[in-house]
């Protein structure tokens, strides 16, 4: 029996399959507002019967955007265009989650198809970045401003307010982005966090910002399931690692996080990643084994049988796929076919079956 095509009941929501569309930035918003691109981009996955779709990293503050083309949810008038997307996805019978994010020192970038550079605050599309410490990601980047206590509290509140707006827009899932070297990950890792106050130094201090954000978001969510994406390792000596990730998983579980989505890397330039099929799966497996959280594996999972095998071996409960869904937005239909399963298509497409 296929696990990939079996349902999974969360506290308030049921995922119809174990396949999740991984969040993917589109760099196509204007001033944070969603537009037709986002509706069509996310809508196509729902038309292709992906049962759970995560929307790209959506900034909780303008200065938290990776690029000036990122989606945002820092003000109420950004809700309606997002609600249109949510409504469309729901009409197709799928669930949709929003990934709330702040890019910290990795913010203020150009759109990747224009250049790979960070834009200076003097550029029309650039701004001053912030971070736990005044350490840039790479030499060519600006030096971020180290956040003071008030700056940290502003970020916690902005996550809370964005989550409240996400509830209003009708999202089923709120995922906090604590991976890939963005702001929360910058706090988690000793390689980017050299603070000497309550938010730096010990493990307890480095996870403090994330725990405060989770607690703040918890006060505003209703039927939403709370998910967390982490980088389980920095792939660098002296950095955040799997041992700390396991401890973190146990802590966030107690705070009501239901799903942990396990990625890796992105925080330091000198990371050494042994990229290969399933290379991040062992990290998900370890966290699944040592916590009660529902665990998602992601990264270079390309075929249906590969995804199914990870679930059968109990290395993860969910399979997140990114690039595969860009190549084929109807991947859920294809994978079912590959596994020889009879999987219902959208009624508009059924005649082609
Ligand atoms: C990504 N990824 C990503 N991750 C995330 O947590 N938030 C995001 O907004 C993005 N944006 C993004 C854009 C694009 C174009 C790509 C290709 C990737 C990472 C993505 O969710 C996933 O973790 C990786 O792509 C690895 O999975 P695949 O692509 O090997 O299935």
């Amino acid at each position: 029996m296929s696990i990939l095509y079996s349902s999974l009941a969360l506290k308030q929501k049921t995922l119809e399959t174990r396949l999740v569309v991984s969040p993917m930035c589109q760099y196509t918003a204007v001033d944070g507002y969603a537009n037709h691109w986002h509706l069509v981009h996310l809508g196509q996955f729902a038309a292709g019967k992906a049962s759970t779709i995560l929307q790209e990293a959506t900034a909780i503050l303008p200065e938290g955007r990776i690029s000036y083309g990122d989606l945002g949810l820092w003000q109420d008038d950004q809700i309606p265009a997002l609600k249109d997307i949510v409504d469309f996805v729901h009409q197709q019978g799928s669930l949709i989650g929003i990934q709330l994010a702040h890019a910290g020192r990795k913010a203020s970038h150009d759109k990747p198809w224009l250049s790979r550079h960070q834009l200076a605050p003097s550029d029309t599309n650039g701004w001053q970045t912030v971070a736990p410490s005044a350490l840039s990601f790479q030499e060519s980047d600006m030096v971020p401003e180290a956040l003071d206590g008030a700056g940290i509290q502003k970020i916690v509140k902005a996550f809370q307010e964005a989550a409240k707006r996400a509830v209003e827009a009708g999202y089923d899932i709120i995922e906090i982005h604590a991976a890939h070297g963005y702001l929360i990950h910058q706090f988690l890792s000793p390689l980017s966090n050299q603070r000497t106050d309550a938010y730096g130094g010990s493990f307890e201090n480095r996870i403090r910002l994330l725990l405060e954000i989770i607690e703040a978001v918890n006060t505003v969510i209703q039927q939403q399931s709370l998910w967390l994406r982490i980088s389980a390792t920095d792939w660098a000596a002296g950095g955040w690692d799997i041992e700390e990730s396991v401890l973190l998983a146990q802590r966030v579980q107690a705070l009501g996080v239901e799903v942990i989505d396990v990625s890796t890397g992105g925080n330091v330039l000198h990371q050494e990643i042994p990229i290969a099929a399933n290379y991040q799966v062992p990290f998900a497996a370890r966290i699944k084994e040592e916590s009660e959280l529902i665990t998602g594996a992601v990264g270079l999972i390309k075929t249906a049988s590969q995804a199914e095998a990870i679930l059968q071996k109990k290395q993860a409960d969910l399979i997140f796929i990114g690039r595969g869904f860009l190549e084929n937005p109807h991947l859920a239909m294809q994978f079912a076919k590959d596994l020889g399963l009879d999987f219902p298509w959208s009624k508009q497409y059924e005649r082609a079956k």
Side-chain angles (χ1 to χ4, degrees), residues 1-8 16-18 304-305 307-314 336 339-341:
M1 213 198 81
S2 167
I3 301 179
L4 190 60
Y5 284 85
S6 67
S7 63
L8 179 74
E16 288 303 326
T17 74
R18 307 301 185 95
S305 57
E308 185 67 49
I310 293 166
L311 299 175
Q312 296 284 354
K313 285 189 225 154
K314 300 194 185 333
L339 294 174
L341 301 169

Side-chain angles (χ1 to χ4, degrees), residues 21-27 55-58 66 99 101 175 177 179-180 182 229 261 263 279-280 298-302 320-326:
V21 180
S22 206
M24 284 179 286
C25 289
Q26 299 296 295
Y27 313 100
Q55 178 181 306
E56 68 186 78
T58 301
I66 300 165
Q99 190 186 49
E175 178 170 271
H177 195 353
H180 301 166
Y182 296 117
R229 174 167 270 200
D261 162 11
S263 190
Y279 73 106
Q280 296 180 142
V298 65
L300 289 178
I301 303 168
K302 290 187 154 182
F320 288 64
I321 294 189
R323 289 164 288 187
F325 270 104
L326 295 186

Side-chain angles (χ1 to χ4, degrees), residues 73 81 92 136 146 155 163 166 171 173 185 200 209 221 228 237 315 323 336:
L73 198 41
Q92 313 320 312
S136 60
I155 282 161
Y171 288 94
I173 296 153
H185 185 179
L209 172 68
I221 56 177
L228 177 67
Q315 292 175 304
R323 289 164 288 187

